[in-house]
Amino acid sequence: AFPLAERYVALAPNDPSAWVLLGVSLRGDGRPEAAAAAHRRALELAPDSTGVLSNLGNALKDMQRHDEAVAAHYRAVQLEPRSVTSWLNLAVALRERGGLKESLSAFEHVLELDPNHVSAHTDRAQILLMQGEYAPAWDEFEWRWKLPELKPPGYTQPRRQRGEVDGMRRRDVSSASASASARESRPR
């Protein structure tokens, strides 16, 4: 795609789509700096394009320029507040920057717009796990089985039921420490 994108830019240097294609190709080739430059050129030609802003934000995120990535994604959300993709990109950029509460809020906004957005549920679950909110996190994490790349395991036992995490965890921890104490107190 890269040679095709370069040719497209050469034939249509004032077409933002050409620059976006080049930027996407460069990012896919592991060249986020060059991708960001291509997306900036596309943005000059189409300053209100949420797609261009999202692609620029993703390239900036790849470069660890998190504040700039968040700014690009935030601008996309301002321009198109009902765009699930723009909110999702903002949520991921906020998480990468370390703003877990802000990111969680953005993922929740994605779910307000699209309650069945599998990726938003699983990303939200990861943040809840990082924050130590295990029971709601595992409830959300059940959405992972709807991801096309994952298939539920073929276990014969029933899946975990809501609220089991805390009880199982306490029981497992207390029995493990009792076993460890018993082993330690045995004469050798």
Side-chain angles (χ1 to χ4, degrees):
F2 183 67
L4 178 64
E6 283 184 315
R7 184 175 163 107
Y8 187 12
V9 166
L11 293 172
N14 293 321
D15 183 348
S17 298
W19 290 98
V20 168
L21 179 61
L22 180 60
V24 168
S25 298
L26 289 164
R27 183 173 178 239
D29 195 39
R31 299 168 55 194
E33 294 86 3
H39 292 306
R40 286 187 198 283
R41 176 64 181 130
L43 197 58
E44 290 172 8
L45 298 168
D48 292 334
S49 170
T50 57
V52 173
L53 286 163
S54 289
N55 283 310
L56 174 60
N58 289 336
L60 292 166
K61 179 179 61 72
D62 292 349
M63 296 163 49
Q64 308 296 309
R65 292 168 61 178
H66 299 297
D67 290 338
E68 292 174 75
V70 167
H73 290 305
Y74 185 70
R75 184 160 169 235
V77 164
Q78 288 177 314
L79 289 169
E80 199 173 327
R82 300 213 37 88
S83 168
V84 170
T85 301
S86 295
W87 277 101
L88 187 65
N89 285 330
L90 175 61
V92 170
L94 288 165
R95 182 186 63 205
E96 295 292 317
R97 187 173 76 174
L100 295 182
K101 285 184 181 180
E102 294 171 293
S103 179
L104 190 61
S105 177
F107 280 123
E108 288 169 356
H109 195 81
V110 170
L111 293 171
E112 287 173 16
L113 295 171
D114 181 359
N116 294 315
H117 197 287
V118 176
S119 186
H121 279 286
T122 58
D123 285 334
R124 184 174 182 274
Q126 291 172 3
I127 292 174
L128 290 168
L129 284 170
M130 287 187 262
Q131 293 178 330
E133 298 180 39
Y134 300 112
W138 284 113
D139 288 340
E140 282 289 274
F141 210 51
E142 286 297 309
W143 282 84
R144 74 190 180 280
W145 301 121
K146 295 184 184 214
L147 290 168
E149 62 270 17
L150 287 180
K151 292 185 177 157
Y155 300 139
T156 56
Q157 70 271 21
R159 303 250 290 275
R160 179 193 74 79
Q161 299 297 313
R162 182 176 177 83
E164 285 184 35
V165 169
D166 293 334
M168 287 173 26
R169 185 172 190 169
R170 279 193 292 275
R171 186 171 47 250
D172 292 344
V173 169
S174 61
S175 65
S177 66
S179 297
S181 297
R183 279 193 304 271
E184 290 171 9
S185 63
R186 287 185 196 148
R188 296 184 193 236

